[in-house]
Amino acid sequence: MIANLRRSVPAYLFLLPWFIGLVGLTIGPMLLSLYYSFTDYALLNTPEWTGLQNYTNLFQDPRYLQSLEVTFVYVAVSVPLEMAFALAVAVLLNRGLKGLAVYRALYYVPSLLGGSVAIALLWQQIFGTDGLLNDVLGIFGIEGRGWISEPGTALWTLIVLRVWQFGAPMVIFLAGLRQIPDEVLEAAEVDGAGRWQRFWRVTLPLLSPVVFFNLVLQIIGAFQAFTPAFVISGGKGGPSDSTLFYTLYLYQQAFGNFRMGYAAAMAWVLLLIIAVFTGLNFVLGRTWVFYGDEGVRR
Amino acid sequence: MNTFSRRTLLGLGAATAAAITLPGCSAKSGPMRVAWYGPDPVTKAINKALDAWKAGGGAEYAGESAPFDDYWDKLATQTSGNNAPDVLRMSMSYFSDYAGRNALKDLGSAGIDTSALDKDVADSGLSDGKNFGIGQSSISYAMYVDEAAVKQAGGTVPEQGWTWDKFAEFARDYAGSVQGSYGSGDQAGNLQLFEVFARQHGTELFSDDGGKLATSKETVQEWFQYWADLRTAKAAPPQNVSAETTGIEKSLIAKGKAPLQFGWVQQVTFYQPLVKNPLAVLPVPQGTAGDLKGQFVKGLDLWCVSAASKHPEDAAKLIGFLLNDEQAIKAIGILLGVPPSQKARDLVAADAGSAGARAIKYVEDIAGQVGPSPKPWPKGYGELLTGFGRIAENIGFGKTTPAAGATEFVELAGKTLGQ
């Protein structure tokens, strides 16, 4: 027993840095934030225990409910659009295009730029009242509007931004498409399946694990979206709270209004929401995700 | 693998732990850190002043600057992490939040020479009998007017001030006679201009102890309604245009779409380079023409030392330098506000004809006519500042009415103040 322990000591030793990181940077702060979520903590003074107060206050706060609504609309609209777009481009790129690597890189660039200040400026150039979009619309005699500066359209410009940054799921789709053996598609062709039939009946089912993977990741990512709204609305979530993302409101409460306890409660509710959605995804996934080795197992 | 002795193991483990935890809660005490907020001209000016400090044999320092909004997010994080900068620029908007939560050092016995400073500015950092900051400037609210543009449109702006009614009339006339422009930017969401408006209605904005709103819901509603009427009359821009005029470069006056701009007096020097005609600095509109009691002159920004500073002596020396040294005064000019001492004002105003000189003259002219300065803004002021703007925006977009907006603001104040 002791000898065994001796032998494994170096292993534990090598694990130690990671373990310290896990406890110090992940588990510790998480537990602390759980504790803060039950307190009134103004960031500069000691936390005061208030029980469930923060949680009950949440659902009486109209701005919190607004942030929930904005975030749900964003997730529900942007994720399917982005996925469809990424898949379409991946299929096109998969056709043995010349200079494939270059296209792959080009399409991936917007994802790398993320929510940088440059993007915010670019978006204002495109969607501002004197912006590019209105210039184009003007050619057709359509009168434009301030797309970013009006509450009715501001969120949609952020959805367009997310769809435009389809590079990450696209690269994963492309890798998935590469895994589909040519023989299967050729066999289908010999059996008389047309292009669309081959896509719907062969490619898509074989790709479903990758679709599932992307879907789970993109939904989680969309719920946590922060930078685009922060940068484009100057941290305010405006105009008129129309881009007040969940995480943006959380940030405002924590660092703008000194309500760390309230923000911590928000964070835990968000964790719960994401957990529910991910769980739902896994349950529903059983009905449509097809793993290639299932046939073998049977 | 038994080449490790237990002692080596323990030592290694401890070293690893130390290496990992050290960067997080560093007990380092490197050079003193100096932090401030403001646009680019401010950063350039303070860097120049700090260069002079170093050239004169001052202690090592590291500067940190950020735009106003970002600065507070950063400072809150740093302060709660026990990692605040040693010397920091503090706005009255957040002063009570920090002073009231013991994040600032009492400078009462720090030996900073404030003898040359105006009394009210020197005392502006007093809270609960302690001195948590030294006023670096005095400021007052103002209106900057492109008089040449106004004259061209056939209008006049009275030097001695005008009533809000006359101002509305002017704005409508101007917008009517100059195609594609507005008489004024929309100020509905400007809590600092509203404070003057509230005082013109006979009350302070906040109660003396900062525990509640002193102005009435009716006054808030009247204010929101006033600007709603100007928007309806197209004398002020619609809300979606206002939403795009954030920042100095995008302001209506810089784009030639309005003949005037409101702001703290020193900000005229930010706008002046973007406007080709000289900007006159004038009082804001009044309840009764020429009655300036609603306005005030006040130290509104302070130099503070964080409570956790490891360099309190150097920090105090640096603040004394920034306030009293001739090179520092010249470098900073009026970018932080009107300098708080006669000597400094004389040095800066020497450049007659500059926007800075006009700003100083404005404050000297009105100083005898304004009302008493209000108490430091209360804890939670920052939240009210953004909340007021948000409510005004909702009214502008037709999501709520002036009456409902006023109720909402009064409720927000009730929740935020006195916490």
Side-chain angles (χ1 to χ4, degrees), chain A residues 76-120:
Chain A
V77 178
S78 75
V79 171
L81 277 180
E82 184 194 19
M83 295 267 293
F85 212 69
L87 183 58
V89 176
V91 169
L92 287 179
L93 284 186
N94 194 35
R95 294 230 186 116
L97 224 54
K98 254 188 201 159
L100 179 64
V102 177
Y103 285 108
R104 229 169 9 201
L106 273 182
Y107 285 124
Y108 194 65
V109 167
S111 303
L112 291 178
L113 294 173
S116 69
V117 176
I119 294 294

Side-chain angles (χ1 to χ4, degrees), chain B residues 209-296:
Chain B
D209 62 356
K212 58 179 197 284
L213 206 61
T215 195
S216 70
K217 199 190 99 185
E218 286 69 32
T219 309
V220 182
Q221 184 177 339
E222 188 185 331
W223 174 256
F224 286 149
Q225 189 63 53
Y226 178 85
W227 290 100
D229 292 344
L230 280 188
R231 280 192 299 269
T232 314
K234 298 202 166 36
Q239 193 63 49
N240 61 335
V241 171
S242 299
E244 287 189 0
T245 55
T246 50
I248 294 161
E249 295 82 4
K250 292 184 187 165
S251 63
L252 293 175
I253 195 167
K255 288 183 161 181
K257 287 188 168 176
L260 50 83
Q261 169 75 36
F262 291 90
W264 295 111
V265 59
Q266 80 279 10
Q267 290 171 343
V268 67
T269 55
F270 306 159
Y271 289 96
Q272 183 64 81
L274 303 169
V275 182
K276 70 175 189 294
N277 306 315
L279 293 171
V281 185
L282 299 173
V284 305
Q286 300 109 37
T288 316
D291 174 12
L292 300 186
K293 290 277 183 291
Q295 289 202 236
F296 53 87

Side-chain angles (χ1 to χ4, degrees), chain B residues 103-247:
Chain B
L104 304 175
K105 209 173 198 66
D106 181 3
L107 298 176
S109 55
I112 298 172
D113 177 14
T114 58
S115 57
L117 305 191
D118 302 344
K119 178 98 178 59
D120 58 339
V121 184
D123 290 350
S124 56
L126 289 178
S127 170
D128 296 333
K130 289 179 184 163
N131 192 3
F132 290 113
I134 312 282
Q136 59 187 210
S137 59
S138 69
I139 58 184
S140 184
Y141 224 72
M143 188 171 71
Y144 334 127
V145 183
D146 183 343
E147 284 184 320
V150 173
K151 228 170 252 165
Q152 212 178 352
T156 44
V157 177
E159 286 279 333
Q160 292 308 310
W162 52 19
T163 61
W164 286 102
D165 288 342
K166 281 269 186 282
F167 175 77
E169 202 177 291
F170 163 85
R172 281 194 296 267
D173 287 349
Y174 187 90
S177 60
V178 184
Q179 268 295 308
S181 55
Y182 305 98
S184 164
D186 186 353
Q187 301 299 315
N190 186 339
L191 182 62
Q192 291 164 335
L193 186 55
F194 174 71
E195 179 163 19
V196 175
F197 187 79
R199 285 162 54 103
Q200 288 168 352
H201 281 66
T203 58
E204 289 292 333
L205 186 50
F206 302 108
S207 62
D208 274 359
D209 62 356
K212 58 179 197 284
L213 206 61
T215 195
S216 70
K217 199 190 99 185
E218 286 69 32
T219 309
V220 182
Q221 184 177 339
E222 188 185 331
W223 174 256
F224 286 149
Q225 189 63 53
Y226 178 85
W227 290 100
D229 292 344
L230 280 188
R231 280 192 299 269
T232 314
K234 298 202 166 36
Q239 193 63 49
N240 61 335
V241 171
S242 299
E244 287 189 0
T245 55
T246 50

